[in-house]
């Protein structure tokens, strides 16, 4: 992809299944490019706090840190690893992944890494999408990946700063 004509117009890349054993290869490829990355935390290593601390140490190195836009939490892949799908009518916080998100926040945020919330996969449940975004915000997550453009207005509405908060 880095060889494609016009690639300089791309801000960066999502790094799926980001694990310590593959990140050096990604960052070696990006050595001479200006692109930033969004590593996605969605492998079984996410459940191991010592693995996340090792990942934090890797990310916290100067040449790597300056390339990271934020860390994305792959909630549905994490659920799949434990043999589950998100239940209809529930937020991700009402599943075993809820505490994992809290742990990722307390591992990475104190070191200045922002995190983005998992997608909400149901298109016909705006009420629970709104509840989930409210929880995302309560956990200090700075964005949410939309699975469909029709979700964007609902997500943006939740992220708007109210007049009272500005005051």
């Amino acid at each position: 992809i880095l060889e494609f004509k016009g690639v300089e117009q791309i801000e960066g890349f999502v790094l799926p299944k980001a694990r310590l054993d593959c990140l050096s290869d990604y960052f070696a490829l990006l050595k001479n490019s200006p692109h930033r990355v969004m590593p996605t935390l969605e492998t079984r290593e996410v459940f191991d706090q010592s693995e996340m601390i090792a990942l934090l140490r890797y990310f916290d190195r100067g040449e790597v840190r300056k390339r990271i836009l934020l860390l994305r939490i792959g909630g549905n892949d994490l659920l799949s690893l434990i043999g589950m799908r998100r239940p209809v009518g529930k937020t991700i916080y009402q599943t075993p992944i809820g505490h994992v998100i809290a742990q990722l926040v307390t591992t990475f945020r104190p070191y200045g890494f922002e995190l983005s919330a998992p997608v909400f996969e149901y298109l016909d449940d705006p009420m629970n999408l709104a509840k989930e975004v409210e929880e995302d915000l309560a956990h200090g997550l700075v964005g949410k990946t939309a699975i469909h453009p029709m979700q964007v207005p609902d997500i943006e509405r939740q992220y708007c700063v109210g007049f009272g908060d500005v005051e």
Side-chain angles (χ1 to χ4, degrees), residues 122-147:
Y122 298 110
L123 301 179
D124 59 350
D125 191 358
M127 185 183 328
N128 277 307
L129 170 61
K131 287 180 190 174
E132 185 163 299
V133 174
E134 188 176 312
E135 284 290 319
D136 295 340
L137 288 163
H139 279 78
L141 303 178
V142 299
K144 185 165 195 73
T145 306
I147 199 166

Side-chain angles (χ1 to χ4, degrees), residues 108-161:
F108 291 99
R109 285 288 307 265
Y111 294 89
F113 291 97
E114 301 292 349
L115 291 104
S116 178
V119 299
F120 184 84
E121 67 187 77
Y122 298 110
L123 301 179
D124 59 350
D125 191 358
M127 185 183 328
N128 277 307
L129 170 61
K131 287 180 190 174
E132 185 163 299
V133 174
E134 188 176 312
E135 284 290 319
D136 295 340
L137 288 163
H139 279 78
L141 303 178
V142 299
K144 185 165 195 73
T145 306
I147 199 166
H148 191 278
M150 67 188 278
Q151 293 178 321
V152 173
D154 290 332
I155 293 169
E156 286 180 339
R157 196 171 13 268
Q158 293 281 346
Y159 273 89
C160 283
V161 178

Side-chain angles (χ1 to χ4, degrees), residues 14 36 46-47 49 66-67 85 117 127 130-131 160 166:
V14 173
R36 297 183 72 195
V46 170
F47 299 114
Q49 182 63 9
K66 69 182 180 185
R67 293 218 181 252
R85 269 196 82 184
M127 185 183 328
K131 287 180 190 174
C160 283
V166 172

Side-chain angles (χ1 to χ4, degrees), residues 80 86 121 130:
S80 178
R86 179 196 299 255
E121 67 187 77

Side-chain angles (χ1 to χ4, degrees), residues 27-82:
F27 284 102
L29 288 170
L30 293 168
K31 186 175 184 179
N32 297 315
S33 91
H35 297 97
R36 297 183 72 195
V37 297
M38 184 169 62
T40 305
L41 306 174
E42 57 187 349
T43 63
R44 67 180 181 199
E45 290 80 4
V46 170
F47 299 114
D48 183 338
Q49 182 63 9
S50 65
E51 289 281 342
M52 290 300 94
I53 291 171
L55 194 59
L56 169 65
R57 302 273 183 260
Y58 181 83
F59 287 158
D60 206 23
R61 296 174 21 214
E63 70 276 5
V64 172
R65 184 182 189 92
K66 69 182 180 185
R67 293 218 181 252
I68 296 176
L69 177 63
L70 58 82
L71 307 174
R72 182 181 168 276
I73 301 169
N76 290 331
D77 282 5
L78 293 173
L79 278 170
S80 178
L81 285 168
I82 57 174

Side-chain angles (χ1 to χ4, degrees), residues 1-13 34-35:
I1 293 173
L2 291 170
E3 302 294 324
F4 287 178
K5 181 180 178 185
V7 73
E8 69 279 353
Q9 295 179 34
I10 295 173
E11 176 73 22
F13 301 98
H35 297 97

